[in-house]
Structure formats: structure tokens, C-alpha cells
Amino acid sequence: SAVISQKPSRDICQRGTSLTIQCQVDSQVTMMFWYRQQPGQSLTLIATANQGSEATYESGFVIDKFPISRPNLTFSTLTVSNMSPEDSSIYLCSVDGTGYNEQFFGPGTRLTVL
Amino acid sequence: AQKVTQAQTEISVVEKEDVTLDCVYETRDTTYYLFWYKQPPSGELVFLIRRNSFDEQNEISGRYSWNFQKSTSSFNFTITASQVVDSAVYFCALFTDKLIFGTGTRLQVFP
């Protein structure tokens, strides 16, 4: 399985600011995914990030709010822009494992917006 | 539309009891994958199992077992002789073109 790290592991931010979350994988992967897990809720896919192309966003998520970079096959960033308390969530990075249908998750970034 | 239903919001058992977590899915695709993940209080998601739509064999891994029945669109997860360390939120998920999660079942195992 892939080893995935995320930075920061947690942060407390002020309303109106932005935070960039980094996701690093120990092997090259084609697809990287970003999920949000709001308090007490399930995971919701934000976007799929392929290297060398624009990220594909799910309904309800827009690039201006959640810009994503994918500069190479082992790294991606997710920025949460102009944050509000409603953005307080765990943000998880995930990668495709064997054949794209086996996904492993990073440890998550726990974000609190005051 | 793809959907995963975990009707049990929370289950509490006493150690050594067996417990079954239910998962019902909906999809029109004939090729799909089903997953179970464990999320302990630390928050990290732990992959437990993947099953593809063409493999209805049940699987056993130690105290864990999974029952996949396409006829009822269910993929249930049983923990035998539960332990306190099994306390976590368990998510069932369906993959067709993306991974869709159920709402999760919180399992509390008391000593």
C-alpha cells in the first residue's frame, strides 16, 4: 500500500484567511483525491486531481474556493480559501492503489475555523 | 444514481459479543467495487476490504468476515468476539467512477 502524509495535521484559522494542505505520497500515482469530512459526517469527494491537467470538481465544490495543484505524480495541494466556520472539517487526501479501484487515505488535516 | 445506506447509526455491545454492520448499496453499473473502512478516534481511515461485483465469495480475516449478496445489494460486515479496540466508526463505500461513502456506523465496544 502507498504511504501518504499530510501537512499540517491540524490547524486553527481565522475567518477570511486561506490554508493550503499538502499531500505527499511515497510512490508515483496517477489519481489523487481530496475529501472533506464535516464533524460527525461521512466523507464527501471534493475533487479528483490528475497530474498535468485541471482538477475535476464534484457538484457543490468550485475551484475558486478549493484550488488544487498537482505538480507531479507524488504531490498535491488543496487550498481552502476565504474560510468560514462552516469549513471546519477534516480534509483527507487519498490515492489510487492497485488499478485505481483501491484507494488509501492519508491521516487527514483537522481544520478549525474561528 | 449511486448510493450507500448504513441504516445503523450507532451500535453498542459488550466485549466478546458478535456484531454485524449492515450496508446496502444502489447502482445500475454491473462492474463496481465495495469497500469497508474503519475510522478510529484518531481520525485516520483504515482500509479493511475491497470486493468487486463479480466476486460474491464471502471472506474471513481473523475476527472479521464479510457477506456480499448481490441479490439483496448488501455487503455486511461481522466482527466476531468484539474487543474494545474495535470501537470506531465503520464506513461502507461503493466505487463505480468515484468512491461514494455511506454515513457510517459508530461501534462502541464496552469492557
Side-chain angles (χ1 to χ4, degrees):
Chain A
S1 63
V3 177
I4 306 166
S5 60
Q6 285 185 236
K7 289 181 182 179
S9 58
R10 60 177 62 229
D11 207 341
I12 301 174
C13 300
Q14 296 298 318
R15 180 196 299 262
T17 63
S18 297
L19 175 73
T20 295
I21 302 168
Q22 299 179 6
C23 177
Q24 180 74 52
V25 191
D26 68 342
S27 57
Q28 294 185 341
V29 294
T30 305
M31 311 283 283
M32 294 181 78
F33 306 87
W34 286 98
Y35 288 81
R36 181 177 73 181
Q37 186 178 24
Q38 295 176 300
Q41 304 295 313
S42 185
L43 284 80
T44 302
L45 180 64
I46 297 172
T48 302
N50 288 340
Q51 193 267 335
S53 63
E54 293 283 332
T56 302
Y57 288 83
E58 297 298 308
S59 175
F61 297 97
V62 295
I63 188 171
D64 290 347
K65 176 66 175 177
F66 297 101
I68 288 172
S69 78
R70 182 78 200 274
N72 57 52
L73 292 173
T74 63
F75 187 78
S76 178
T77 67
L78 168 76
T79 299
V80 186
S81 303
N82 188 25
M83 288 184 286
S84 67
E86 291 71 35
D87 294 319
S88 297
S89 298
I90 299 174
Y91 292 86
L92 296 106
C93 167
S94 136
V95 303
D96 62 314
T98 307
Y100 179 50
N101 298 313
E102 188 164 345
Q103 288 183 270
F104 296 93
F105 287 81
T109 295
R110 191 179 297 269
L111 171 63
T112 301
V113 184
L114 303 177
Chain B
Q2 334 288 354
K3 186 178 179 181
V4 177
T5 300
Q6 294 181 256
Q8 304 151 308
T9 304
E10 187 163 339
I11 301 175
S12 295
V13 299
V14 177
E15 233 178 354
K16 298 184 182 178
E17 285 186 29
D18 299 346
V19 57
T20 295
L21 310 181
D22 297 333
C23 174
V24 175
Y25 63 93
E26 295 177 31
T27 180
R28 293 182 179 177
D29 292 328
T30 56
T31 301
Y32 53 89
Y33 295 80
L34 296 164
F35 296 79
W36 276 95
Y37 288 90
K38 174 181 179 180
Q39 189 175 44
S42 60
E44 188 166 348
L45 270 178
V46 178
F47 168 83
L48 295 178
I49 190 172
R50 177 189 70 149
R51 178 61 85 226
N52 73 55
S53 53
F54 300 107
D55 182 4
E56 285 193 75
Q57 277 194 336
N58 293 328
E59 180 154 341
I60 298 174
S61 176
R63 296 184 296 107
Y64 296 169
S65 62
W66 291 269
N67 184 337
F68 177 26
Q69 293 197 349
K70 289 178 73 171
S71 60
T72 56
S73 296
S74 65
F75 187 44
N76 296 336
F77 172 32
T78 297
I79 302 175
T80 302
S82 60
Q83 300 176 2
V84 173
V85 294
D86 296 326
S87 297
V89 179
Y90 291 85
F91 290 99
C92 179
L94 166 70
F95 181 88
T96 52
D97 60 342
K98 60 186 177 182
L99 198 59
I100 303 293
F101 283 82
T103 50
T105 297
R106 180 177 300 276
L107 174 65
Q108 294 194 70
V109 182
F110 294 99

